[in-house]
Amino acid sequence: MDVFTTRAGRVRGRRSERDPGIVTVRGLPYAAPPFGADRFREPRPAQPWDGVRECTAYGPVAPQSAELPGSPAWSPGGEDILTLNIWSPAHGPGGLPVLVWIHGGAYVFGSSAQPDFDGTALAARGLVVVTLNYRLGFEGFGHVPADGVGPACPDNRGLLDQIAALEWVPDDIAAFGGSPGRVTLAGQSSGATSVACLMAADRARGLFHRAIVHSAVNACATVGQAARTTAEVAAAAGVPATRAGLLAAPPQTLVTASDQVADRYRQDPRSGQRHYDPAIYGPVADGVLLPSDPLEAWAAGAGAEVELLVCHTTEEYWLLDAVGSSAKVTTEQQLGSFAQDFGLPPQLVDAYRDRLPGPAPVLDVYLALYGDLLFAEYSSRLAEAHARSGGRTFLSRFDRRCGGDGGRVRAWHCADIPFAFGNLHDENLHFLIGGPPGPADHELSHRMTGAWAAFAAEGDPGWAPLDGGGDVTGVRVWRTAGEEARETGAFRDLWDAAGLPLPAP
């Protein structure tokens, strides 16, 4: 019987359908439902239970409007959203390294139930894998003004949820074969930036020892910027932008209002930076949990004691264009407006056009620029800042451009994660990886899961770390065997000259 004893009570899992040597426990509460009297508050401890709790299905997802392939949708009324899932070798020796995963989704969508994040393959490599849900959208990242009545509602509630899940680990992970002293925190996209924020947060210090950051997104708000977003969302919801007004609006109302605000930016090319990809929520540099943008905090030495593995893809933004979440920039006038909105000098745009395989369409210049601005350059600078502060740092790039059938595919945002988790088999993920995988893809996935497992276990993914000067000559490039080698850092010197803006959500 796969029954485990935690502080809150006993739980029953089940064997993985893919590998009967792996036990999965799903939907285990790490905190109480964050609604009712606990809405907009710090996460509270989960209530204990009697008997054996059946943990064989994923818990409810956080309020959101997205419906993702192979994943459950949010259902209003499902309030027990602060749950986690565990994959563990059924007969492991105990004391195994633990990998805790934070999903992405622009801080407004996604869940730990996505097929990308099934931990079976990584558990088979000797890890105990933990994935978790946390509050999203306004519930997790909306600024709630103080009213002088009762304790203030904190900013960054989604980050506080993640910390609560990390605090669950030292108390309970040993029951599942994991070591609380060998914890790696990992994430991708907004999940990666969440990891970066927690490395900068004193409150999370000591809860994890290594970190994996894939395609961190360059976006952190000030309290003033977050307050302006609250005013827009409250107006769309038809409620006052006050604590009482926002509490009176059901989660569904705030989800709908947030979507309406984002759509107005999407439809208005004169609305500035948010027009191009209107993600309106994100971490808030509130001076309480988060002192500043993670890049600035890391440059000042925050988190230097954490060993770090960073990766980004080489064609990040092509995914956002393919799924229609990004503005179409197809004329020179639109490209000039984009550069002006983000404060990018004209010579940077011209240099991208010259260095892309040509003649490059305007859309390709825009996608290359925006992908580097938001993801690739920001991730690389995080790695360099950590190395220069004395942190042990490894950098890699995902550049697989040959699909399973031999055709051209994009090394775009999210394409690396099914490889790193070893989940190429799931048909719901074939869009991300450009079709059904071939033998070379499975071999690449085996190398990538092995690198994650080795890093989580020993702090060494299999290549040289950056030196203290941030030298990047030791970057690992992930491709299938036999793929043509390409230059993957061809634009970095351009950003050195131009400088990297730090935009807000």
Side-chain angles (χ1 to χ4, degrees):
M1 289 177 49
D2 297 316
V3 176
F4 306 88
T5 300
T6 73
R7 285 178 307 152
R10 302 169 73 204
V11 298
R12 179 182 288 112
R14 69 179 185 184
R15 298 302 174 100
S16 168
E17 295 177 359
R18 292 173 55 193
D19 184 345
I22 303 300
V23 178
T24 67
V25 175
R26 298 176 179 174
L28 194 163
Y30 67 84
F35 298 101
D38 290 336
R39 192 176 181 204
F40 303 152
R41 304 288 296 277
E42 288 205 18
R44 309 286 180 145
Q47 292 298 307
W49 56 85
D50 297 323
V52 178
R53 185 180 184 123
E54 297 294 331
C55 288
T56 57
Y58 291 112
V61 305
Q64 59 188 276
S65 58
E67 296 183 7
L68 303 177
S71 304
W74 174 55
S75 177
E79 295 191 344
D80 203 2
I81 62 173
L82 299 185
T83 63
L84 53 78
N85 320 294
I86 305 158
W87 288 260
S88 178
H91 304 291
L96 294 173
V98 179
L99 186 140
V100 179
W101 176 256
I102 300 176
H103 71 79
Y107 306 101
V108 295
F109 69 90
S111 78
S112 61
Q114 292 173 230
D116 325 30
F117 313 142
D118 184 294
T120 300
L122 286 170
R125 303 297 291 255
L127 303 183
V128 175
V129 179
V130 178
T131 66
L132 61 113
N133 289 345
Y134 56 99
R135 281 174 282 184
L136 302 169
F138 195 92
E139 301 295 322
F141 294 93
H143 174 76
V144 180
D147 59 6
V149 179
C153 298
D155 291 316
N156 297 309
R157 295 178 294 278
L159 298 182
L160 292 170
D161 293 343
Q162 296 161 11
I163 291 173
L166 286 168
E167 291 172 337
W168 176 93
V169 171
D171 291 320
D172 285 322
I173 202 63
F176 302 90
S179 169
R182 306 176 70 191
V183 178
T184 297
L185 183 61
Q188 185 263 351
S189 194
S190 57
T193 305
S194 295
V195 173
C197 289
L198 297 188
M199 284 180 62
D202 287 341
R203 187 161 171 178
R205 183 158 295 130
L207 294 175
F208 56 100
H209 315 90
R210 298 183 177 113
I212 298 175
V213 170
H214 274 232
S215 299
V217 59
N218 180 5
C220 186
T222 65
V223 173
Q225 290 164 335
R228 286 192 289 274
T229 297
T230 292
E232 293 177 278
V233 172
V239 300
T242 63
R243 177 178 179 174
L246 294 161
L247 282 170
Q252 175 68 71
T253 299
L254 295 184
V255 168
T256 300
S258 298
D259 287 347
Q260 291 172 348
V261 170
D263 192 58
R264 282 203 293 267
Y265 281 109
R266 184 176 288 110
Q267 300 299 326
D268 182 3
R270 299 166 299 178
S271 58
Q273 294 181 3
R274 280 185 171 177
H275 165 66
Y276 301 94
D277 191 356
I280 64 173
Y281 296 112
V284 180
D286 59 352
V288 179
L289 180 70
L290 186 61
S292 64
D293 183 281
L295 181 56
E296 296 172 338
W298 286 21
E305 73 281 0
V306 177
E307 295 179 321
L308 178 67
L309 171 58
V310 174
C311 184
H312 66 81
T313 71
T314 57
E315 297 178 297
E316 293 274 6
Y317 217 76
W318 270 260
L319 174 70
L320 288 306
D321 178 64
V323 300
S325 70
S326 170
K328 286 284 187 184
V329 172
T330 58
T331 70
E332 292 293 344
Q333 181 179 358
Q334 290 173 321
L335 184 60
S337 296
F338 162 76
Q340 186 174 23
D341 285 338
F342 282 94
L344 305 179
Q347 57 267 31
L348 177 66
V349 179
D350 293 339
Y352 261 76
R353 183 185 290 107
D354 292 342
R355 293 190 187 184
L356 285 167
V362 168
L363 180 61
D364 283 4
V365 178
Y366 160 69
L367 295 176
L369 271 166
Y370 205 11
D372 286 353
L373 167 65
L374 283 191
F375 300 111
E377 182 62 21
Y378 186 69
S379 295
S380 295
R381 290 193 177 209
L382 283 173
E384 292 168 347
H386 191 256
R388 289 179 180 130
S389 294
R392 184 170 167 84
T393 311
F394 300 87
L395 180 60
S396 58
R397 299 178 181 131
F398 183 83
D399 192 45
R400 168 193 173 261
R401 303 193 189 190
C402 182
D405 62 359
R408 171 74 159 95
V409 297
R410 291 288 185 185
W412 59 24
H413 197 59
C414 300
D416 49 335
I417 300 307
F419 285 86
F421 267 88
N423 289 330
L424 304 185
H425 64 285
D426 195 302
E427 291 184 0
N428 292 296
L429 305 178
H430 288 176
F431 169 74
L432 286 181
I433 65 173
D441 295 321
H442 288 289
E443 188 274 334
L444 172 59
S445 178
H446 185 76
R447 283 187 277 133
M448 292 183 69
T449 59
W452 271 23
F455 178 74
E458 305 295 340
D460 186 352
W463 63 92
L466 304 184
D467 65 22
D471 176 58
V472 296
T473 56
V475 175
R476 171 60 54 92
V477 178
W478 296 114
R479 300 186 181 100
T480 54
E483 274 195 80
E484 177 186 356
R486 290 169 292 274
E487 170 59 49
T488 59
F491 304 104
R492 301 249 18 242
D493 63 304
L494 303 179
W495 292 100
D496 287 340
L500 180 69
L502 296 178

